[in-house]
Amino acid sequence: MKKMLKMAALMAACLLAIPAVQAQTTEQDADLLYATGMLKPGTAAPDFTLPTLAGKNFSLSQLKGKVVVLDFWASWCPDCRRDAPNIVRLYREYKDKGVVFVGISFDVDRAAWQNAVIKYGMHYTQVSELKKMREAQISKTYSVSWIPSLYVIGRDGKVVLGTVLSEKVKQTLQQLVK
């Protein structure tokens, strides 16, 4: 009987631990689930030219020699809205250390895009084709199939990191910008 009680207690403890392990595993494996097709480190970051919110053209090549964070997002995306404060914190922390942030929106409604930029304080360059993610050329160029997606581009113009986790961007920037 004691042996059966010990077994039952052990099984209960295991069952209670499963949700915590699943949550931790899901967070750790998010890149394994959503970032597998992204450009690999060492790949030359493809240049692009897109219109900004202000209506002027912006090209990635303008930032040659700088560390760049590309933030692929949309105002309608719940995960993007949840992560926006983290990205804005990173922007504020690293903008004076030579890191340039560029938001690439998959909004199709200019007003919704602009309102989200204002609401979340995304005071860095914002560009968009004003097309859905699956239709936008930039998503094909950068192999973005999930948002938010983030790239860190090194001073040499090569991809340092492609991820769906802003925490990894923070760790990478800590290493690159000392």
Side-chain angles (χ1 to χ4, degrees):
M1 184 66 162
K2 283 184 182 181
K3 197 173 191 180
M4 286 179 68
L5 286 174
K6 283 182 182 179
M7 264 310 242
L10 181 61
M11 286 176 61
C14 288
L15 288 174
L16 290 173
I18 287 174
V21 170
Q22 284 176 333
Q24 183 180 16
T25 302
T26 302
E27 181 67 21
Q28 290 172 346
D29 293 345
D31 276 348
L32 295 175
L33 294 171
Y34 306 114
T36 56
M38 293 180 77
L39 301 177
K40 302 300 178 213
T43 303
D47 193 19
F48 61 85
T49 300
L50 291 172
T52 66
L53 250 177
K56 298 182 180 191
N57 280 340
F58 167 85
S59 296
L60 181 62
S61 58
Q62 294 172 231
L63 303 177
K64 187 176 180 177
K66 298 184 185 264
V67 173
V68 179
V69 174
L70 299 179
D71 172 24
F72 291 86
W73 71 285
S75 66
W76 48 261
C77 165
D79 291 337
C80 300
R81 291 191 307 262
R82 186 173 27 259
D83 206 32
N86 296 329
I87 303 303
V88 169
R89 264 192 299 282
L90 288 173
Y91 164 70
R92 288 182 182 147
E93 183 176 346
Y94 287 96
K95 69 179 180 165
D96 295 331
K97 297 177 182 178
V99 178
V100 180
F101 284 67
V102 179
I104 303 168
S105 172
F106 292 118
D107 279 284
V108 296
D109 180 335
R110 184 177 198 74
W113 173 31
Q114 187 169 17
N115 289 339
V117 167
I118 293 166
K119 178 178 180 178
Y120 294 106
M122 302 166 97
H123 301 297
Y124 43 92
T125 300
Q126 295 288 332
V127 299
S128 181
E129 294 175 58
L130 290 175
K131 292 182 180 178
K132 295 177 183 178
M133 181 173 67
R134 305 273 185 249
E135 298 168 6
Q137 183 58 47
I138 192 72
S139 66
K140 295 171 183 124
T141 301
Y142 275 84
S143 300
V144 173
S145 59
W146 181 266
I147 52 175
S149 283
L150 301 139
Y151 278 99
V152 177
I153 313 293
R155 289 181 182 88
D156 62 358
K158 294 184 180 176
V159 172
V160 176
L161 174 71
T163 185
V164 297
L165 301 168
S166 58
E167 184 57 37
K168 286 187 179 182
V169 171
K170 180 178 182 176
Q171 293 166 357
T172 301
L173 291 177
Q174 288 171 340
Q175 295 297 316
L176 284 177
V177 182
K178 295 182 180 184

